[in-house]
Amino acid sequence: MSMPLGVSVNSHQSASQVEHIADRFSAAAKRYQEHNCLQRLSGASLLQGFAATGAILDIGAGPGTDFADRAVGDNIKVYALDIALGMLQQLQATFPRHQCVCGNAEQLPFADGSIDSIYSNLALQWCQDFSAATSEMARVLKAGGEAHLSIVAEGSLAQLSHLGLRVNGFQSLESLKAAFDTSDWQLFDVQLVPMTVYFHDLKTLLYSIKGVGASVQSYVQTENSSDADTHSSKLRGRRDWLSLLQRAERLREAQGLPLTYQIAQFRVRRQGCSV
């Protein structure tokens, strides 16, 4: 079961696909807090430069974010957007003043120029068309408003490659940057930030990657497998699993088994003068 981050689903996906994803993530919502180490680490970093003011849109809100310590003024209003109703139900119990909205990043259900600032922590890597999401953010954001975004990027999960595991990739920082139309956006702070999380065992580590939109594609049975074998070999039973465990233990550090993500952190401003 994938652990949700508050996903953004491609607007071109069929209604049945979207419903399936939302149902799956909703069912996992109650166990989310067991697997969100990376989300908390990235969120703490992203919030450091975020000033919460006016109408805030939290895209892929997941279990919710507390913006109280970042508030500027007393009249902030948080719109928590997520595709999974189960996530929104969990969020509402924790943050009753947040207004929950079921929707996705590529078709935002908000009026033009209605949002003062946007926050999104580790959700937008789910987009099939990230440029559609940046266009939608530009549409709903007021002139001069800022968007602060953390996105899982290319180069993540290097340890899995060392183990002979193949995972689906993420977009490069340059590809993500190219999705911001410079007539709409000023990119004033863009960084690629490595973040490492640690796990007690390999099973927990592998389970955690689903929450950021990654999954293992295939397994290498031995360290000496040829390239051809690499693409066809699968984890066939206990023997293969024990071999994988042995390789993983060679990576263990004092804190546990490491898994490093490359997090693209964007702080961007909507072009134009605020009124």
Side-chain angles (χ1 to χ4, degrees), residues 238-266:
R238 181 174 175 78
R239 183 177 178 180
D240 288 352
W241 176 249
L242 290 176
S243 175
L244 188 63
L245 288 175
Q246 290 175 349
R247 294 199 298 274
E249 284 303 312
R250 297 172 195 163
L251 300 177
R252 186 177 290 276
E253 299 176 8
Q255 304 97 313
L257 294 176
L259 192 58
T260 302
Y261 289 86
Q262 300 296 328
I263 305 301
Q265 195 171 86
F266 285 85

Side-chain angles (χ1 to χ4, degrees), residues 1 4 18 29 40 45 55 60 88 93-94 98-99 103 128 147 157 159 173 186 195 231 235 255:
M1 176 70 69
V18 172
R40 284 178 285 163
S45 174
L88 294 175
T94 308
H98 288 196
Q99 182 166 330
Q128 295 298 310
L157 312 174
Q159 290 89 348
L173 180 64
Q186 174 195 358
M195 295 185 182
H231 290 88
L235 196 66
Q255 304 97 313

Side-chain angles (χ1 to χ4, degrees), residues 71-100:
V72 178
D74 300 324
N75 297 316
I76 69 169
K77 183 172 185 178
V78 179
Y79 294 96
L81 180 117
D82 202 291
I83 195 172
L85 284 173
M87 270 298 191
L88 294 175
Q89 290 165 354
Q90 291 288 113
L91 185 154
Q92 194 76 77
T94 308
F95 300 100
R97 298 186 64 182
H98 288 196
Q99 182 166 330
C100 294

